[in-house]
Amino acid sequence: MPRAEPPPPYLPGAPHFAYCDGELWVEGLRVADLAREHGTPLFVYSVAAMRAAVAAYQRGLQGRDALICYAMKANSTLAILEVFARAGCGFDIVSGGELERALRAGAAPERIVFSGVGKTRAEMRRALQVGIGCFNVESRAELDVLDAVARELGVRAPVSLRVNPDVDAQTHPYISTGLKGNKFGIAHDEALDAYRHAASLSGLSVVGIDCHIGSQITSIGPYLDALDRVLDLVEAIEAAGIPLHHLDLGGGLGIEYHGEQPPAADALWQAMLARLDARGHGRRRLLLEPGRSLVGNAGICVTQVLYTKPGAAKNFLIVDAAMNDLPRPAMYEAWHAIAPVRPRADVPARTWDVVGPVCESGDWLGRDRELAAQPGDLLAVGSAGAYCMSMASHYNTRGKAAEVLVSGARAQLIRARETVADLWRQERALALD
Ligand SMILES: *Cc1c(COP(=O)(O)O)cnc(C)c1O
């Protein structure tokens, strides 16, 4: 009997990265050609994939007063931000550095919301001076500091309180944020009191309410539970005479890394809008803060095999990308697809641990992967658009990878590979005896 052909590899959730004529393409370009021109490790992003992800949210929210604020910590490279700004997105930021990036990418300040538990006075001042749309305040203490900073500047700071609805997002504990006992938000049962306090401060203007329950959420249930809890609060806060102009329902929608089946953004929002309508809140302005679901599957990381190292207990495939480029496996034991750029039938497939050159046993990209590969071959690490480059480090004095953006049959280098001189530019030679 003829041996069954192995199924062609594919990258989960990433239809803009597809195999044709025996090799991986991104939109209208060969991934191998990009790697030859720009070297590896190389992040490659598809503009069409990002636009399709935004369009799914826009479809779901059609006819509503809604603003999609891209949570830029997922991937904050300037050209990526420009893609989202041009697609009509605002931005969710979590630092002064992200504020400057958003402005540099051409974001309208009033379309920026500022989240995060540890905003400094300097960050607040700058955000007030440029006129951002809303501060998502995470504690009573922050309310008082923001009030003081705004009064010093003679302005009123627009605020939402981030409330913690105490629902389980059923995701990894490190990326679950809506449960009692984590550092985010104001507890549900303290929220009304905090709103009364906010409304009493002359440097603040209460404009909305905010919640964000976690990341990589793969079912609608936790969202509906959080929405119900937030609407209960909205009703109580407005009954106390404090009108809320907008509802910010955060981000967190998951993507397919490895068989997950998260709802599509439009399906999620149809369900959310139905619940909002049923409770009589359908005409309220909505803000969303999606990050991962807009970029995660719009990017891959291309890496080259350096060595094969078969062993008694484990076979190692040593590649030129590492935990400093792709930190999620080391941080969360996350799973990324790893697929050959040019699948080959001339060497037998074996089971490999795919690891990088960094001197840590935690430096692995994938474990027990069936691959036919030899030194010099290119591999594509899937779902690498979100929380990879933005979390990359210089550990082991490794410069950050280059990034290329592809639209149709055109490619643009959007971040040059860092040189060693870039890495020590801020350092000073020893001047003491
Ligand atoms: C990280 C974060 C987001 C985005 O989360 P994703 O899971 O990437 O969609 C949104 N809002 C806040 C406050 C965040 O911290």
Side-chain angles (χ1 to χ4, degrees):
M1 247 184 47
R3 271 180 57 197
E5 281 287 309
Y10 82 107
L11 293 171
H16 297 87
F17 297 84
Y19 287 87
C20 183
D21 295 335
E23 66 183 300
L24 182 63
W25 294 65
V26 47
E27 299 196 28
L29 293 177
R30 290 178 172 86
V31 168
D33 288 345
L34 295 170
R36 190 175 323 110
E37 184 175 348
H38 299 287
T40 55
L42 178 70
F43 285 89
V44 178
Y45 305 108
S46 155
V47 173
M50 288 181 236
R51 290 199 183 132
V54 175
Y57 278 93
Q58 287 167 336
R59 271 197 309 279
L61 294 159
Q62 203 152 25
R64 305 292 174 131
D65 178 14
L67 177 63
I68 299 164
C69 293
Y70 167 56
M72 60 183 277
K73 74 177 188 287
N75 186 321
S76 55
T77 301
L78 288 171
I80 303 273
L81 303 184
E82 289 181 271
V83 170
F84 288 117
R86 288 186 200 178
C89 294
F91 294 94
D92 172 52
I93 63 167
V94 293
S95 73
E98 288 196 347
L99 173 58
E100 299 308 329
R101 278 189 176 274
L103 296 172
R104 178 74 187 262
E110 66 275 10
R111 293 162 84 84
I112 296 174
V113 299
F114 194 166
S115 303
V117 295
K119 303 174 193 79
T120 65
R121 284 166 194 262
E123 288 173 326
M124 291 172 176
R125 209 170 290 126
R126 172 75 175 145
L128 285 167
Q129 280 163 342
V130 302
I132 66 159
C134 190
F135 290 83
N136 291 336
V137 173
E138 304 227 12
S139 63
R140 276 183 80 108
E142 184 190 337
L143 279 177
D144 292 328
V145 171
L146 182 58
D147 170 60
V149 173
R151 282 188 289 105
E152 273 163 33
L153 291 175
V155 298
R156 284 180 95 108
V159 297
S160 281
L161 294 193
R162 176 169 176 180
V163 299
N164 186 336
D166 193 24
V167 300
D168 186 354
Q170 287 154 11
T171 184
H172 190 286
Y174 282 11
I175 53 177
S176 180
T177 58
L179 276 171
K180 269 186 197 160
N182 71 46
K183 71 178 179 182
F184 297 102
I186 292 171
H188 193 270
D189 50 6
E190 292 164 21
L192 178 56
D193 224 39
Y195 265 98
R196 285 206 177 92
H197 181 57
S200 75
L201 298 173
S202 65
L204 304 183
S205 163
V206 173
V207 295
I209 190 166
D210 168 51
C211 88
H212 170 74
I213 56 172
S215 199
Q216 187 54 16
I217 301 166
T218 55
S219 59
I220 293 182
Y223 277 100
L224 291 173
D225 292 347
L227 178 59
D228 273 328
R229 301 269 293 163
V230 169
L231 290 178
D232 293 346
L233 274 177
V234 168
E235 289 162 8
I237 292 161
E238 293 200 325
I242 304 168
L244 298 175
H245 177 244
H246 74 246
L247 292 181
D248 181 338
L249 295 163
L253 180 59
I255 60 170
E256 185 189 357
Y257 286 97
H258 184 41
E260 302 90 335
Q261 296 184 309
D266 45 350
L268 169 65
W269 282 93
Q270 273 158 24
M272 293 286 275
L273 292 174
R275 181 67 56 94
L276 278 159
D277 289 344
R279 292 195 51 172
H281 293 276
R283 310 260 38 106
R284 215 177 269 276
R285 178 166 170 79
L286 297 174
L287 266 59
L288 280 58
E289 303 169 351
R292 188 190 313 270
S293 54
L294 294 184
V295 276
N297 275 332
I300 61 172
C301 181
V302 187
T303 179
Q304 187 169 43
V305 178
L306 298 174
Y307 301 101
T308 55
K309 189 174 176 184
K314 282 274 186 187
N315 300 315
F316 293 103
L317 205 53
I318 301 168
V319 300
D320 66 0
M323 65 186 287
N324 71 299
D325 306 297
L326 295 158
R328 298 183 65 260
M331 268 184 83
Y332 319 113
E333 304 206 327
W335 204 98
H336 285 272
I338 301 176
V341 169
R342 286 193 170 124
R344 55 195 299 167
D346 58 329
V347 298
R350 317 174 71 135
T351 301
W352 303 99
D353 275 14
V354 181
V355 302
V358 164
C359 298
E360 296 278 345
S361 292
D363 180 28
W364 55 276
L365 305 181
R367 287 179 169 151
D368 297 325
R369 303 300 177 89
E370 185 90 356
L371 285 165
Q374 290 213 313
D377 286 2
L378 296 172
L379 301 176
V381 179
S383 309
Y387 303 109
C388 294
M389 181 49 107
S390 60
M391 289 180 138
S393 77
H394 293 130
Y395 189 40
N396 279 211
T397 301
R398 290 170 52 89
K400 289 188 190 171
E403 295 181 293
V404 167
L405 193 61
V406 171
S407 181
R410 300 185 56 207
Q412 184 201 338
L413 183 69
I414 57 170
R415 182 195 297 263
R417 188 173 302 287
E418 274 181 331
T419 64
V420 176
D422 289 332
L423 297 187
W424 63 50
R425 201 176 52 227
Q426 304 296 345
E427 299 180 36
R428 302 293 179 265
L430 179 65
L432 304 176
D433 300 331

